[in-house]
C-alpha cells in the first residue's frame, strides 16, 4: 500500500521576529550615525555645565549602543570628533563635539580639566563595560596619533591622562603607545610624559606614581627617549631641567637597586666558585662599569652579598667564631672599596644593622668591629665618630655599651699619639 506524502500546514502572512541579539549582530556599523545621535543629546547642554553633560551622557546610554561604538564615543569626548585610520578627523562636514577636552581653555588649566575627568569618571562608573575599551583601545590609539594634534591639544590630552591615572580611573598600560618608534624621535614621547607626570604629581606622591607605573608594566623610562639618548645621566638631566627632580631621584634610586642586586648576585657566584679576593674585586669593578653606585650604596651591597654567601647553619656556640673568620677572609674586598671616612662610617652602620637583624650576632658586633679595624677596613676616627654621633637607632644603646671599651682604647691611643707629636 503506497503512502501519500502529506503536506505540512504553513503560516502565511506571519512575520517571524528575529532575536534582538541577532539583529544587533547583523546591524551595519555606522559611527557617523552614532555621532549625530549623540550630538543631539549634547547640543542642548549649556557650555561648561559639567553636571548636565554627565546627566545627558548617562541618559543617552539608555538608547545608544555605547559598547558597540565605544571607540567612537571616546574619540568624540576626548578629541572632539571621529578619527580615521592614520589619525586625521573624519571629513564629512560634521561640527566638533559640544563636549570634548579640546574645548577646555588654552592654555589648559588642571582645575578645569579635572571637571572633564569627573564626567569620564561618572560615565564609566555608570556603564562599567566602557572601562576596558577606554583604557585598552581608545587611549592607546589616540596617544599613537599624538603628533597629529596642535601643541595645545597635546597638552590637554596629556594632562587629562595624568589626571585619569592619578585618580586610578585607568592604568598606565596606555602609555606603552608612546614607545613606538615614530613617537620617541625628536623627544615627542618624553615631552608628553613630562606633562602626564606633572599633572599626576599635583595630587599624588612620587611613590604613588612609581606604583602606578609598575602596575601598568612601564619598566624603563629610557624607552620613551630616542635611541641615541637612552642613558641614565641623560634622563636625570632631562627631568631636572623640566623641574621634576622627584622623578629623576626616583629613577636613580631604582637603578641603584637594580645595580645592587646585580652585584649581590655576582658576589654569590664568585664566592661559591672559591675565587680569591682579587678576582672578587675585579668582578665588582666590572659590574660598576655597567652602572655606577655611590660608595655608601656600593659597600652595603658588597657586605650583604658576601654575608649571603656564608653558611650560617653552625651551632650557636660556633656562630661567633664563624662570623669573625668570614669577616677576616672578606676584609681585603671591603678595604678595596672603603675609600673615605663617610664610607667607613656607612660600613659600621651596615654591620650594626646586620647584627641587630640577626640576633645571633648581636654579641659579636664589637669583635667584628675590631677585625675591620685591624684589617684597615675602618679607621679609629670612623669608629669614634660612629660612637659619638653616627650610629643607627637599631639597638643603639646595646651596641654603644658593647663597644665602650674599644672606643675608650682608641681615644687613649689617639691622645697618646698627639702627645708624642
Amino acid at each position: 500500500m503506497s503512502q501519500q506524502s502529506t503536506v505540512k500546514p504553513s503560516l502565511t502572512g506571519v512575520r517571524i521576529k528575529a532575536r534582538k541579539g541577532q539583529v544587533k549582530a547583523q546591524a551595519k556599523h555606522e559611527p557617523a550615525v552614532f555621532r549625530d545621535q549623540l550630538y543631539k543629546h549634547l547640543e542642548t547642554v549649556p557650555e561648561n555645565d559639567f553636571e548636565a553633560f554627565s546627566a545627558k551622557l548617562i541618559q543617552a546610554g539608555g538608547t545608544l549602543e555605547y559598547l558597540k561604538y565605544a571607540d567612537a564615543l571616546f574619540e568624540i569626548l576626548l578629541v572632539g570628533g571621529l578619527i580615521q585610520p592614520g589619525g586625521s578627523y573624519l571629513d564629512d562636514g560634521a561640527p566638533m563635539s559640544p563636549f570634548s577636552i579640546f574645548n577646555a581653555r588654552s592654555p589648559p588649566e588642571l582645575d578645569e580639566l579635572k571637571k572633564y575627568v569627573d564626567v569620564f569618571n561618572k560615565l564609566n562608573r555608570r556603564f562599567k563595560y566602557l572601562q576596558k575599551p577606554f583604557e585598552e583601545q581608545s587611549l592607546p590609539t589616540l596617544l599613537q596619533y599624538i603628533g597629529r594634534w596642535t601643541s595645545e591639544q597635546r597638552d590637554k590630552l596629556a594632562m587629562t591622562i595624568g589626571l585619569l591615572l592619578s585618580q586610578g580611573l585607568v592604568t598606565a598600560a596606555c602609555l606603552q603607545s608612546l614607545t613606538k618608534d615614530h613617537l620617541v624621535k625628536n623627544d615627542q614621547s618624553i615631552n608628553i610624559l613630562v606633562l602626564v607626570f606633572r599633572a599626576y604629581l599635583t595630587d599624588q606622591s612620587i611613590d604613588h606614581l612609581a606604583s602606578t607605573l609598575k602596575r601598568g608594566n612601564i619598566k624603563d623610562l629610557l624607552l620613551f627617549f630616542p635611541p641615541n639618548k637612552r642613558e641614565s645621566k641623560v634622563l636625570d638631566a632631562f627631568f631636572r631641567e623640566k623641574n621634576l627632580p622627584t622623578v629623576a631621584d626616583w629613577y636613580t634610586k631604582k637603578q641603584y637597586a637594580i645595580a645592587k642586586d646585580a652585584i649581590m648576585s655576582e658576589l654569590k657566584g664568585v664566592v661559591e666558585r672559591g675565587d680569591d679576593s682579587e678576582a672578587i674585586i675585579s668582578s665588582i669593578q666590572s659590574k660598576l662599569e655597567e652602572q655606577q653606585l655611590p660608595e655608601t650604596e656600593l659597600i652595603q651591597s658588597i657586605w650583604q652579598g658576601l654575608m649571603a654567601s656564608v653558611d650560617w647553619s653552625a651551632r650557636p656556640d660556633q656562630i661567633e667564631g664563624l662570623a669573625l673568620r668570614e669577616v677576616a677572609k672578606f676584609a681585603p674586598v671591603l678595604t678595596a672599596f672603603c675609600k673615605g671616612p663617610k664610607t667607613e662610617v656607612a660600613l659600621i652602620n651596615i654591620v650594626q644593622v646586620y647584627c641587630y637583624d640577626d640576633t645571633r650576632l648581636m654579641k659579636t658586633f664589637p669583635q667584628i668591629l675590631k677585625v675591620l679595624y685591624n684589617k684597615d677596613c675602618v679607621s679609629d676616627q670612623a669608629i669614634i665618630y660612629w660612637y659619638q654621633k653616627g650610629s643607627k637607632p637599631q639597638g643603639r644603646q646595646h651596641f654603644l655599651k658593647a663597644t665602650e671599651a674599644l672606643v675608650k682604647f682608641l681615644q687613649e691611643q689617639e691622645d697618646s699619639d698627639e702627645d708624642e707629636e
Side-chain angles (χ1 to χ4, degrees):
M1 183 175 176
S2 62
Q3 292 182 343
Q4 292 182 347
S5 59
T6 58
V7 179
K8 292 182 179 180
S10 63
L11 296 174
T12 58
V14 177
R15 185 166 173 258
I16 305 299
K17 187 175 180 181
R19 290 177 179 270
K20 187 176 179 181
Q22 186 179 4
V23 171
K24 284 188 175 182
Q26 294 173 352
K28 195 174 179 181
H29 189 69
E30 297 177 309
V33 174
F34 169 82
R35 175 201 61 201
D36 296 341
Q37 292 172 337
L38 181 63
Y39 279 12
K40 288 178 182 178
H41 289 271
L42 300 179
E43 285 168 350
T44 61
V45 179
E47 187 178 358
N48 295 328
D49 190 343
F50 295 96
E51 287 293 332
F53 275 123
S54 298
K56 281 293 183 181
L57 284 168
I58 290 172
Q59 180 187 11
T63 56
L64 300 181
E65 296 182 73
Y66 276 179
L67 182 58
K68 181 177 180 179
Y69 293 102
D71 290 343
L73 172 66
F74 290 119
E75 286 172 6
I76 292 165
L77 300 182
L78 284 167
V79 300
L82 297 176
I83 302 299
Q84 299 183 104
S88 59
Y89 285 106
L90 180 64
D91 187 12
D92 62 354
M96 297 296 283
S97 170
F99 177 90
S100 160
I101 62 169
F102 284 1
N103 294 347
R105 288 189 297 270
S106 297
E109 298 176 1
L110 283 172
D111 287 341
E112 184 184 15
L113 289 175
K114 285 179 181 179
K115 296 175 183 177
Y116 284 89
V117 168
D118 188 52
V119 174
F120 285 100
N121 184 22
K122 290 175 180 176
L123 178 65
N124 287 349
R125 283 172 60 188
R126 173 61 183 82
F127 304 103
K128 290 184 171 57
Y129 55 77
L130 290 176
Q131 181 65 35
K132 187 173 182 179
F134 182 49
E135 65 175 298
E136 294 184 8
Q137 296 164 214
S138 299
L139 288 176
T141 299
L142 292 174
L143 277 174
Q144 73 177 355
Y145 298 142
I146 199 80
R148 291 280 186 173
W149 322 124
T150 67
S151 60
E152 288 182 343
Q153 289 173 332
R154 285 198 296 269
D155 291 356
K156 292 172 185 177
L157 182 59
M159 292 165 69
T160 298
I161 290 173
L163 294 172
L164 289 167
L165 289 170
S166 72
Q167 296 182 29
L169 303 181
V170 297
T171 69
C174 64
L175 299 177
Q176 296 281 5
S177 289
L178 292 174
T179 60
K180 294 182 182 293
D181 292 341
H182 72 283
L183 293 176
V184 297
K185 63 182 181 181
N186 302 324
D187 294 339
Q188 194 170 79
S189 291
I190 197 61
N191 283 316
I192 293 298
L193 209 61
V194 165
L195 295 169
V196 172
F197 287 175
R198 195 171 285 154
Y200 192 108
L201 293 171
T202 57
D203 293 327
Q204 302 290 357
S205 67
I206 185 63
D207 291 334
H208 194 280
L209 173 60
S211 298
T212 297
L213 293 175
K214 185 177 181 180
R215 287 195 300 271
N217 204 30
I218 305 296
K219 296 179 179 179
D220 192 354
L221 295 186
L222 287 177
L223 295 178
F224 295 87
F225 284 79
N228 62 337
K229 294 183 179 180
R230 289 176 183 170
E231 297 180 29
S232 296
K233 61 182 180 181
V234 174
L235 183 147
D236 186 273
F238 176 82
F239 281 110
R240 293 189 191 283
E241 181 188 342
K242 297 296 183 180
N243 200 28
L244 287 171
T246 53
V247 176
D249 292 340
W250 162 74
Y251 185 81
T252 300
K253 184 179 178 182
K254 181 183 175 186
Q255 295 308 108
Y256 286 168
I258 294 171
K260 287 167 71 175
D261 288 344
I263 287 174
M264 290 168 62
S265 177
E266 180 74 11
L267 283 173
K268 183 180 179 182
V270 294
V271 171
E272 287 178 352
R273 289 200 304 268
D275 292 0
D276 59 19
S277 295
E278 288 186 7
I280 295 174
I281 292 169
S282 176
S283 177
I284 295 171
Q285 288 171 337
S286 67
K287 282 293 178 184
L288 290 176
E289 291 176 4
E290 300 172 13
Q291 172 68 52
Q292 285 293 317
L293 274 173
E295 291 182 359
T296 53
E297 300 277 352
L298 174 61
I299 202 67
Q300 181 184 34
S301 62
I302 292 174
W303 171 268
Q304 291 175 342
L306 293 174
M307 292 302 105
S309 68
V310 177
D311 182 4
W312 295 104
S313 61
R315 296 200 316 263
D317 60 323
Q318 297 178 334
I319 287 292
E320 180 175 335
L322 172 63
L324 297 180
R325 286 195 302 274
E326 294 298 324
V327 172
K329 181 175 74 174
F330 294 133
V333 178
L334 295 167
T335 303
F337 297 97
C338 265
K339 298 179 180 179
K342 185 178 179 181
T343 312
E344 292 174 10
V345 174
L347 175 59
I348 298 171
N349 276 322
I350 291 162
V351 177
Q352 175 194 335
V353 174
Y354 187 83
C355 291
Y356 176 80
D357 290 339
D358 190 340
T359 53
R360 298 174 302 171
L361 298 174
M362 285 192 73
K363 293 181 179 179
T364 313
F365 177 72
Q367 285 72 35
I368 293 176
L369 206 52
K370 285 180 185 178
V371 172
L372 293 174
Y373 172 70
N374 291 331
K375 296 289 186 178
D376 294 325
C377 293
V378 297
S379 64
D380 52 352
Q381 292 94 339
I383 295 173
I384 293 169
Y385 178 86
W386 168 85
Y387 181 84
Q388 291 176 341
K389 53 185 175 182
S391 61
K392 291 282 186 181
Q394 291 92 326
R396 177 178 285 152
Q397 295 306 315
H398 168 80
F399 292 121
L400 293 181
K401 183 70 175 175
T403 55
E404 191 174 356
L406 173 61
V407 172
K408 185 178 180 181
F409 166 77
L410 294 175
Q411 287 173 326
E412 290 174 352
Q413 189 178 47
E414 192 177 51
D415 293 339
S416 65
D417 291 341
E418 290 177 358
D419 291 340
E420 290 177 7
E421 291 177 4

